[in-house]
Structure formats: C-alpha cells, structure tokens
Short mmCIF file of all heavy atoms in Angstrom, two decimals:
data_model
loop_
_atom_site.label_atom_id
_atom_site.label_comp_id
_atom_site.label_asym_id
_atom_site.label_seq_id
_atom_site.Cartn_x
_atom_site.Cartn_y
_atom_site.Cartn_z
N ILE I 1 -11.20 -5.69 13.14
CA ILE I 1 -9.92 -5.30 13.73
C ILE I 1 -8.76 -5.81 12.87
O ILE I 1 -7.76 -5.12 12.65
CB ILE I 1 -9.81 -5.82 15.17
CG1 ILE I 1 -10.84 -5.10 16.06
CG2 ILE I 1 -8.39 -5.62 15.72
CD1 ILE I 1 -10.91 -5.63 17.48
N SER I 2 -8.92 -7.03 12.35
CA SER I 2 -7.86 -7.57 11.48
C SER I 2 -7.73 -6.76 10.20
O SER I 2 -6.63 -6.61 9.66
CB SER I 2 -8.15 -9.04 11.16
OG SER I 2 -9.09 -9.18 10.11
N GLU I 3 -8.84 -6.21 9.70
CA GLU I 3 -8.77 -5.35 8.51
C GLU I 3 -7.96 -4.09 8.80
O GLU I 3 -7.16 -3.65 7.95
CB GLU I 3 -10.18 -4.94 8.08
CG GLU I 3 -10.98 -6.01 7.36
CD GLU I 3 -12.31 -5.46 6.92
OE1 GLU I 3 -12.34 -4.69 5.94
OE2 GLU I 3 -13.33 -5.78 7.57
N ILE I 4 -8.18 -3.48 9.95
CA ILE I 4 -7.43 -2.27 10.31
C ILE I 4 -5.94 -2.57 10.36
O ILE I 4 -5.10 -1.78 9.91
CB ILE I 4 -7.93 -1.72 11.66
CG1 ILE I 4 -9.39 -1.26 11.54
CG2 ILE I 4 -7.05 -0.58 12.14
CD1 ILE I 4 -10.03 -0.88 12.85
N LEU I 5 -5.60 -3.75 10.87
CA LEU I 5 -4.19 -4.12 11.02
C LEU I 5 -3.56 -4.59 9.71
O LEU I 5 -2.41 -4.27 9.42
CB LEU I 5 -4.07 -5.22 12.08
CG LEU I 5 -4.41 -4.82 13.51
CD1 LEU I 5 -4.59 -6.05 14.38
CD2 LEU I 5 -3.34 -3.91 14.08
N ALA I 6 -4.29 -5.37 8.93
CA ALA I 6 -3.70 -6.01 7.75
C ALA I 6 -4.11 -5.36 6.44
O ALA I 6 -3.26 -5.08 5.59
CB ALA I 6 -4.08 -7.50 7.73
N SER I 7 -5.40 -5.09 6.25
CA SER I 7 -5.87 -4.58 4.97
C SER I 7 -5.45 -3.12 4.76
O SER I 7 -4.87 -2.78 3.72
CB SER I 7 -7.39 -4.69 4.88
OG SER I 7 -7.86 -4.20 3.64
N ILE I 8 -5.71 -2.26 5.73
CA ILE I 8 -5.32 -0.85 5.60
C ILE I 8 -3.81 -0.73 5.48
O ILE I 8 -3.29 0.03 4.65
CB ILE I 8 -5.82 -0.03 6.80
CG1 ILE I 8 -7.36 -0.03 6.85
CG2 ILE I 8 -5.30 1.40 6.75
CD1 ILE I 8 -7.94 0.66 8.05
N THR I 9 -3.10 -1.49 6.29
CA THR I 9 -1.64 -1.43 6.25
C THR I 9 -1.10 -1.94 4.92
O THR I 9 -0.08 -1.44 4.42
CB THR I 9 -1.05 -2.24 7.41
OG1 THR I 9 -1.67 -1.83 8.63
CG2 THR I 9 0.45 -2.03 7.52
N GLY I 10 -1.79 -2.91 4.32
CA GLY I 10 -1.38 -3.38 3.00
C GLY I 10 -1.50 -2.30 1.95
O GLY I 10 -0.63 -2.15 1.08
N LEU I 11 -2.57 -1.50 2.00
CA LEU I 11 -2.72 -0.37 1.07
C LEU I 11 -1.59 0.63 1.25
O LEU I 11 -0.99 1.12 0.28
CB LEU I 11 -4.07 0.32 1.32
CG LEU I 11 -5.34 -0.47 1.00
CD1 LEU I 11 -6.56 0.31 1.49
CD2 LEU I 11 -5.45 -0.74 -0.49
N GLU I 12 -1.30 0.95 2.50
CA GLU I 12 -0.21 1.88 2.80
C GLU I 12 1.13 1.33 2.30
O GLU I 12 1.94 2.06 1.70
CB GLU I 12 -0.15 2.12 4.31
CG GLU I 12 1.08 2.83 4.81
CD GLU I 12 1.39 2.50 6.26
OE1 GLU I 12 0.45 2.22 7.03
OE2 GLU I 12 2.58 2.52 6.61
N TYR I 13 1.38 0.05 2.53
CA TYR I 13 2.65 -0.56 2.14
C TYR I 13 2.81 -0.56 0.63
O TYR I 13 3.90 -0.30 0.11
CB TYR I 13 2.68 -2.00 2.67
CG TYR I 13 4.08 -2.56 2.84
CD1 TYR I 13 4.88 -2.18 3.91
CD2 TYR I 13 4.59 -3.49 1.93
CE1 TYR I 13 6.15 -2.71 4.08
CE2 TYR I 13 5.86 -4.01 2.09
CZ TYR I 13 6.63 -3.62 3.16
OH TYR I 13 7.90 -4.13 3.31
N ALA I 14 1.72 -0.83 -0.10
CA ALA I 14 1.78 -0.82 -1.56
C ALA I 14 2.14 0.57 -2.07
O ALA I 14 2.92 0.71 -3.02
CB ALA I 14 0.45 -1.28 -2.14
N PHE I 15 1.59 1.60 -1.46
CA PHE I 15 1.86 2.97 -1.92
C PHE I 15 3.28 3.41 -1.59
O PHE I 15 4.00 3.95 -2.45
CB PHE I 15 0.86 3.94 -1.29
CG PHE I 15 1.07 5.37 -1.70
CD1 PHE I 15 0.53 5.85 -2.88
CD2 PHE I 15 1.82 6.23 -0.91
CE1 PHE I 15 0.73 7.17 -3.27
CE2 PHE I 15 2.03 7.55 -1.28
CZ PHE I 15 1.48 8.02 -2.47
N THR I 16 3.71 3.18 -0.35
CA THR I 16 5.00 3.72 0.08
C THR I 16 6.18 2.96 -0.49
O THR I 16 7.30 3.49 -0.52
CB THR I 16 5.10 3.70 1.62
OG1 THR I 16 4.90 2.36 2.10
CG2 THR I 16 4.04 4.61 2.24
N LYS I 17 5.99 1.74 -0.95
CA LYS I 17 7.11 0.94 -1.45
C LYS I 17 7.21 0.94 -2.97
O LYS I 17 8.09 0.26 -3.53
CB LYS I 17 6.99 -0.50 -0.94
CG LYS I 17 6.99 -0.64 0.57
CD LYS I 17 8.24 -0.05 1.20
CE LYS I 17 8.27 -0.24 2.70
NZ LYS I 17 7.32 0.60 3.43
N ALA I 18 6.35 1.64 -3.66
CA ALA I 18 6.36 1.64 -5.13
C ALA I 18 6.98 2.92 -5.68
O ALA I 18 6.83 3.99 -5.10
CB ALA I 18 4.93 1.50 -5.66
N PRO I 19 7.70 2.84 -6.83
CA PRO I 19 8.09 4.07 -7.53
C PRO I 19 6.84 4.84 -7.94
O PRO I 19 5.76 4.25 -8.12
CB PRO I 19 8.83 3.54 -8.78
CG PRO I 19 9.22 2.15 -8.45
CD PRO I 19 8.17 1.63 -7.51
N LYS I 20 6.95 6.16 -8.09
CA LYS I 20 5.78 6.96 -8.41
C LYS I 20 5.07 6.50 -9.68
O LYS I 20 3.85 6.57 -9.78
CB LYS I 20 6.17 8.43 -8.56
CG LYS I 20 6.52 9.13 -7.25
CD LYS I 20 6.82 10.60 -7.48
CE LYS I 20 7.17 11.30 -6.18
NZ LYS I 20 7.48 12.74 -6.40
N ASN I 21 5.86 6.06 -10.67
CA ASN I 21 5.24 5.66 -11.94
C ASN I 21 4.80 4.21 -11.95
O ASN I 21 4.47 3.67 -13.00
CB ASN I 21 6.19 5.94 -13.10
CG ASN I 21 7.51 5.19 -12.99
OD1 ASN I 21 7.82 4.63 -11.94
ND2 ASN I 21 8.27 5.18 -14.06
N MET I 22 4.80 3.55 -10.78
CA MET I 22 4.31 2.17 -10.70
C MET I 22 3.32 1.99 -9.55
O MET I 22 3.00 0.88 -9.17
CB MET I 22 5.48 1.19 -10.51
CG MET I 22 6.36 1.03 -11.73
SD MET I 22 7.63 -0.23 -11.51
CE MET I 22 6.63 -1.73 -11.43
N ARG I 23 2.81 3.11 -9.01
CA ARG I 23 1.97 3.00 -7.82
C ARG I 23 0.67 2.25 -8.10
O ARG I 23 0.21 1.45 -7.29
CB ARG I 23 1.68 4.39 -7.26
CG ARG I 23 2.85 4.94 -6.46
CD ARG I 23 2.65 6.37 -6.05
NE ARG I 23 3.75 6.82 -5.19
CZ ARG I 23 3.98 8.09 -4.88
NH1 ARG I 23 3.19 9.04 -5.36
NH2 ARG I 23 5.00 8.41 -4.11
N SER I 24 0.05 2.51 -9.25
CA SER I 24 -1.17 1.80 -9.58
C SER I 24 -0.90 0.31 -9.78
O SER I 24 -1.69 -0.54 -9.37
CB SER I 24 -1.83 2.39 -10.83
OG SER I 24 -2.37 3.67 -10.55
N LEU I 25 0.23 -0.01 -10.41
CA LEU I 25 0.56 -1.40 -10.66
C LEU I 25 0.82 -2.17 -9.37
O LEU I 25 0.35 -3.30 -9.20
CB LEU I 25 1.79 -1.49 -11.57
CG LEU I 25 1.54 -1.20 -13.06
CD1 LEU I 25 2.85 -1.01 -13.80
CD2 LEU I 25 0.72 -2.32 -13.69
N ILE I 26 1.56 -1.56 -8.44
CA ILE I 26 1.83 -2.24 -7.18
C ILE I 26 0.55 -2.34 -6.35
O ILE I 26 0.30 -3.34 -5.67
CB ILE I 26 2.94 -1.51 -6.39
CG1 ILE I 26 4.22 -1.44 -7.23
CG2 ILE I 26 3.22 -2.22 -5.08
CD1 ILE I 26 4.74 -2.77 -7.70
N MET I 27 -0.29 -1.30 -6.41
CA MET I 27 -1.59 -1.38 -5.74
C MET I 27 -2.43 -2.50 -6.34
O MET I 27 -3.10 -3.25 -5.62
CB MET I 27 -2.32 -0.05 -5.85
CG MET I 27 -3.62 0.02 -5.03
SD MET I 27 -3.33 -0.16 -3.24
CE MET I 27 -2.40 1.34 -2.90
#
C-alpha cells in the first residue's frame, strides 16, 4: 500500500515536473 502511495506517485511526480528534454534525467 505504501508503494502505491509513495513509489508510483514518485514516478508520476518525476515525469510531470520535468522539462521534456530532461525527463529521463529527473526520472
């Protein structure tokens, strides 16, 4: 349950907060 709340959301946060040309780097 903690993975659903923290790990998945971390992946989403890394993608949505990065410029398109830095998405892999922020991930």
Side-chain angles (χ1 to χ4, degrees):
I1 293 174
S2 81
E3 284 183 75
I4 295 172
L5 293 166
S7 180
I8 296 176
T9 309
L11 294 172
E12 168 205 330
Y13 203 76
F15 179 85
T16 57
K17 300 302 183 288
K20 288 183 180 180
N21 60 347
M22 290 185 67
R23 281 173 176 167
S24 289
L25 284 167
I26 302 303
M27 187 62 66

